[in-house]
Amino acid sequence: MFCPCMGRFGNQAEHYLGALAFAKSIDRTLVLPPFMSNRKNVPISDWFQVEPIKEFHKVITMEDFMAYFGVEKWPPGKRRGYCWIQASKKRECEMKNGSPSGPFWDGLGIDFDEGFRFEMSNQADITNEAMREQLRKLWDEQFPAHKHPVIAFRSAPATYPIKAGNRQIQKHFKWNVHLFATAQDEMNQLFHGEKFVGIHLRTGRDWVKSCEHAQGSSSFMASPQCLPASSEVEIWEEMCYPPIEHMVSLTAEAVEQYGAKHVYIATDKLSYSRELMEELEPRGVKVHHLDPHLPQMDLMILGQADFFIGNCVSSFTAFVKRERDANDRPSTFWGFPISFSDGQV
């Protein structure tokens, strides 16, 4: 088990996929923790179906584990935490120090009685068999299951951004049936069965600063999804914070190419609905921006679009792109052509 304690949903989702890859590699059941949203724990089953995840690896939700095995397999008084800490560092393994770690474990009613430090790798690539075998032997030797039946990590046993080989695990994440039905009703009311282009914009002030920091780098946040790790291409303006003109132009091109009658906008701040309407409404294309209370509504709708344009640096876009890839739906990114394909840079 682990605390998905880094960032918002997009970051947490990448850690989830990496944790599944690690658990499968060392052949341990993964206890699926709740997501953290607005400082509250949200059970994974509120957003996703658990059964499809079991097709990839053996899992149990945190709620079921604590209800049925929490006392027997992990009794109070014998609950250990595990922290990756460099040997040169003097600090202790403090599982609940700070936020969101403290509120996360408190929300589950879990206290820790002992902390273990470790420095060996706890990150796996599901496509790298040699790495997986090495990890399995290492963890079996250092933390055998008969002595360490439950391993609770302070942070996710995964990388951010996600290792490329683990993106495929996304196909096992299917939306909660009732939640998706709500999104389907919304789409029926908005699009009436007609084609639509979905776009994701990051326009908040924090993103402006992030993009200023990112320019000139070859890798930043989720950018490996469009800039391969071996690429020496640097992040450019249109890719991270596209000018209005570029955003409108690329959206209009996608609408024309896919014969769409609607554009759906998901954004963290400015939607530029007016600019898009001025360009597209004379062509008979309607522009929609819901700004739903639950961001997952945007994710579900973007995943169903006939074509999607996202922000390559954003982990929110990355979630949509992985889902669409799993379902063979076309996508591109700001700063790239409509015909973008992975690895073209």
Side-chain angles (χ1 to χ4, degrees):
M1 67 177 68
F2 66 96
C3 172
C5 287
M6 190 192 80
R8 290 177 284 190
F9 175 79
N11 296 34
Q12 293 177 40
E14 298 209 2
H15 273 174
Y16 244 101
L17 300 183
L20 278 162
F22 176 73
K24 189 176 182 70
S25 297
I26 66 170
D27 195 26
R28 290 279 197 124
T29 298
L30 180 65
V31 179
L32 300 172
F35 284 97
M36 295 203 71
S37 180
N38 297 320
R39 299 185 179 182
K40 295 181 179 179
N41 292 346
V42 179
I44 185 174
S45 57
D46 282 11
W47 291 344
F48 297 101
Q49 301 172 50
V50 175
E51 288 304 313
I53 302 176
K54 291 180 179 179
E55 295 173 4
F56 174 75
H57 185 58
K58 50 192 176 184
V59 299
I60 184 173
T61 66
M62 179 72 81
E63 295 75 26
D64 282 351
F65 175 79
M66 293 304 295
Y68 300 114
F69 303 106
V71 174
E72 176 188 352
K73 301 292 185 181
W74 203 41
K78 296 184 178 181
R79 291 179 175 170
R80 301 162 171 170
Y82 297 73
C83 305
W84 187 91
I85 301 174
Q86 290 180 319
S88 59
K89 304 295 183 180
K90 301 299 182 182
R91 67 176 184 271
E92 298 298 316
C93 176
E94 299 177 300
M95 293 288 289
K96 299 174 67 173
N97 182 33
S99 180
S101 299
F104 172 80
W105 296 111
D106 283 341
L108 296 166
I110 294 175
D111 289 312
F112 292 92
D113 307 291
E114 186 179 6
F116 276 85
R117 294 163 48 118
F118 69 92
E119 195 177 10
M120 59 189 184
S121 174
N122 63 342
Q123 300 167 355
D125 182 336
I126 202 64
T127 62
N128 189 328
E129 290 295 337
M131 173 193 288
R132 294 176 59 195
E133 183 61 28
Q134 184 179 15
L135 277 175
R136 185 180 297 111
K137 290 180 179 179
L138 189 62
W139 281 85
D140 282 347
E141 291 172 359
Q142 296 295 319
F143 296 104
H146 68 280
K147 292 183 178 180
H148 302 267
V150 178
I151 299 178
F153 291 109
R154 189 180 192 279
S155 56
T159 62
Y160 178 79
I162 189 174
K163 291 181 181 294
N166 294 336
R167 293 173 189 155
Q168 62 182 288
I169 304 172
Q170 177 93 25
K171 66 184 179 183
H172 298 283
F173 277 67
K174 307 294 184 183
W175 291 106
N176 173 292
V177 173
H178 301 293
L179 186 64
F180 187 77
T182 303
Q184 190 66 61
D185 288 343
E186 196 69 62
M187 287 185 280
N188 290 338
Q189 294 179 32
L190 291 175
F191 312 130
H192 309 290
E194 297 177 323
K195 291 183 177 182
F196 74 100
V197 169
I199 66 173
H200 175 223
L201 303 173
R202 288 297 308 266
T203 56
R205 183 171 298 180
D206 63 326
W207 195 252
V208 174
K209 294 180 179 179
S210 294
C211 290
E212 290 174 352
H213 179 74
Q215 287 190 45
S217 302
S218 59
S219 179
F220 186 69
M221 295 186 180
S223 68
Q225 67 178 318
C226 68
L227 296 180
S230 59
S231 173
E232 296 183 358
V233 177
E234 297 178 348
I235 295 169
W236 62 93
E237 180 184 8
E238 287 82 3
M239 175 180 158
C240 191
Y241 199 99
I244 297 175
E245 296 78 10
H246 171 70
M247 182 271 297
V248 171
S249 175
L250 194 63
T251 303
E253 183 182 348
V255 164
E256 181 176 355
Q257 183 164 327
Y258 284 86
K261 295 297 182 182
H262 304 266
V263 169
Y264 182 84
I265 306 167
T267 181
D268 61 335
K269 192 67 174 178
L270 303 174
S271 69
Y272 297 118
S273 295
R274 181 176 60 81
E275 290 82 355
L276 284 164
M277 287 178 182
E278 289 177 354
E279 175 68 27
L280 297 174
E281 286 194 341
R283 308 184 191 188
V285 178
K286 295 182 179 180
V287 176
H288 310 271
H289 173 226
L290 284 183
D291 193 22
H293 171 71
L294 189 67
Q296 283 67 28
M297 183 67 68
D298 277 339
L299 290 169
M300 288 184 285
I301 294 175
L302 292 175
Q304 298 301 306
D306 292 276
F307 189 75
F308 169 64
I309 308 173
N311 189 305
C312 172
V313 182
S314 166
S315 59
F316 191 92
T317 277
F319 184 92
V320 178
K321 178 65 163 54
R322 291 192 302 269
E323 179 181 328
R324 294 180 63 83
D325 287 350
N327 292 300
D328 295 321
R329 294 193 173 108
S331 308
T332 193
F333 303 100
W334 305 116
F336 288 82
I338 293 294
S339 58
F340 169 82
S341 61
D342 290 350
Q344 73 174 39
V345 176

